[in-house]
Amino acid sequence: MQLLPAPVRRLAAWCAVILLVSGVAYVGIRLCVTFRTAVTPVLLALLGTALLGPLYRRCVRAGVHRSLAAGLTCVAVVAVVGGAVYIVVAALIDSGDQIVSSLKAAGRSVAEHFGAAGTSLDDIAENSKDLLGKFGGTAASNVISGVSVVAESIAMAVLALLLVFFFLRDSHRAVEALRSVSPGDSADTLEAMARRAYEAVEGFMRGTTVIALIDATCITIGLLILRVPGAPGLGALVFVGAYIPYLGAFLSGAVAVLVALADRGFVIALWALGVVAAVQVLEGHVLQPMIQSRTVQMHPAVVMLAITAGASVAGIVGMLLAVPLTAAAFGVVHELRTRYATA
């Protein structure tokens, strides 16, 4: 090794470190995928704990017993999530036939406008309900054949909720448990890293929830003014999609514009697009800098890569977990850089 120039030796050392870290990360990811039934509820519970922590602490400061405060917090989140799911499903059921019929009418008008009556576009419009029925039948058969997957998902959701309860109730013991298992004199460093990672996740979840609520409220009001069918359900979809930065907002906004196009025509669709675009501009230039100014800031390219990687590893759940986990990693790196810089 001494025969090699110093820059080459440094490059070799960095390559060895990168390969070692990549290997450890790969093995860790594969283990998480293998034991996803146990790992996914833990990660979801950590996100839920970070989001519900302020409400729980406020209940404790008000004199409520820790167990009762954790239970009330879990009941509150079940009520909110259940209400959102009910709004989405009810809105889609109530407006489903109307959306299908408006899609058929839109197909006919477009075909007549371009002089393409009787073409495949018109045929697709005429047979859209049959296609939807066939798709529904296929989906139903897949659901029936995959009962174990549904049962597994329900079990993970229930486990995540129970873990949220225990994480909230015993959160004051987390630091003591971490310090008790810390080797040597690394307790302070590990505690600082854990606190910074948790603060990053908590700030991300809290800020994203506030932004999602504002986005969903503004878009719902705009769609109601434009008399777009299923506006409450579309607003709930925007709220849920906001937890997947950039991609979720784009997809949920596209759904709202398509529904407006199908039912209310091209002009109203343009107005709906304007509403969605205005809300996205408000989010990007006002809400995010103001609300999430104290959390870990990540470049949009990093966020998109994290979402893509999460989707490739664990699908929709991976997309949901990718950004907060990346925020936690950025928080740990920032803490280590701060400590090494001051050392």
Side-chain angles (χ1 to χ4, degrees), residues 114-125:
F114 289 100
T119 60
S120 58
L121 178 63
D122 188 59
D123 294 336
I124 292 175

Side-chain angles (χ1 to χ4, degrees), residues 5-15:
V8 177
R9 293 200 301 269
R10 285 195 295 269
L11 177 61
W14 276 110
C15 290

Side-chain angles (χ1 to χ4, degrees), residues 72-92:
L72 292 176
T73 305
C74 292
V75 170
V77 71
V78 170
V80 171
V81 173
V85 172
Y86 173 79
I87 290 174
V88 172
V89 174
L92 292 178

Side-chain angles (χ1 to χ4, degrees), residues 17-35:
V17 170
I18 292 173
L19 288 175
L20 179 62
V21 172
S22 300
V24 172
Y26 176 79
V27 172
I29 291 173
R30 297 308 304 174
L31 288 175
C32 290
V33 172
T34 302
F35 299 103

Side-chain angles (χ1 to χ4, degrees), residues 10 12 43 48 87 121 142 161 166 183 198 206 218 231 245-246 283 327:
R10 285 195 295 269
L43 295 177
I87 290 174
L121 178 63
N142 289 335
L161 183 63
F166 290 117
Y198 184 79
R206 185 170 61 246
C218 294
Y246 304 110
E283 173 188 339

Side-chain angles (χ1 to χ4, degrees), residues 18-314:
I18 292 173
L19 288 175
L20 179 62
V21 172
S22 300
V24 172
Y26 176 79
V27 172
I29 291 173
R30 297 308 304 174
L31 288 175
C32 290
V33 172
T34 302
F35 299 103
R36 62 184 180 276
T37 306
V39 174
T40 302
V42 173
L43 295 177
L44 292 176
L46 288 175
L47 295 184
T49 303
L51 178 61
L52 301 172
L55 176 61
Y56 166 76
R57 290 191 292 269
R58 182 169 298 181
C59 293
V60 172
R61 286 196 297 268
V64 182
H65 190 270
R66 289 184 177 273
S67 297
L68 181 58
L72 292 176
T73 305
C74 292
V75 170
V77 71
V78 170
V80 171
V81 173
V85 172
Y86 173 79
I87 290 174
V88 172
V89 174
L92 292 178
I93 291 176
D94 292 340
S95 58
D97 292 337
Q98 186 178 5
I99 292 174
V100 171
S101 61
S102 60
L103 281 172
K104 293 169 65 176
R108 292 195 194 97
S109 63
V110 170
E112 292 173 0
H113 179 74
F114 289 100
T119 60
S120 58
L121 178 63
D122 188 59
D123 294 336
I124 292 175
E126 288 292 340
N127 296 316
S128 59
K129 200 163 189 177
D130 295 336
L131 293 174
L132 184 61
K134 293 178 181 177
F135 175 77
T138 303
S141 64
N142 289 335
V143 169
I144 293 174
S145 63
V147 172
S148 60
V149 177
V150 176
E152 179 180 315
S153 301
I154 295 175
M156 288 193 296
V158 173
L159 179 58
L161 183 63
L162 293 175
L163 288 176
V164 168
F165 171 79
F166 290 117
F167 287 171
L168 288 172
R169 190 192 66 177
D170 301 328
S171 57
H172 60 290
R173 302 176 183 174
V175 175
E176 299 176 0
L178 179 63
R179 297 184 71 91
S180 64
V181 299
S182 301
D185 56 353
S186 61
D188 293 338
T189 302
L190 289 178
E191 179 183 348
M193 292 168 56
R195 287 186 181 276
R196 182 61 66 95
Y198 184 79
E199 289 172 0
V201 175
E202 186 178 37
F204 172 82
M205 293 298 295
R206 185 170 61 246
T208 301
T209 301
V210 174
I211 292 173
L213 183 60
I214 296 175
D215 287 355
T217 302
C218 294
I219 291 179
T220 301
I221 292 175
L223 295 179
L224 287 174
I225 294 174
L226 296 174
R227 291 183 296 172
V228 176
L234 294 172
L237 183 63
V238 170
F239 178 82
V240 175
Y243 285 95
I244 304 176
Y246 304 110
L247 184 60
F250 172 77
L251 293 178
S252 58
V255 171
V257 174
L258 289 175
V259 172
L261 175 64
D263 187 80
R264 302 281 291 142
F266 183 73
V267 176
I268 299 299
L270 285 180
W271 278 103
L273 178 62
V275 170
V276 173
V279 171
Q280 295 304 318
V281 170
L282 175 67
E283 173 188 339
H285 292 82
V286 179
L287 297 179
Q288 283 189 348
M290 182 173 59
I291 295 176
Q292 292 188 332
S293 60
R294 296 184 180 181
T295 62
V296 177
Q297 299 295 321
M298 293 179 291
H299 194 275
V302 176
V303 175
M304 294 302 297
L305 288 175
I307 293 174
T308 304
S312 64
V313 172

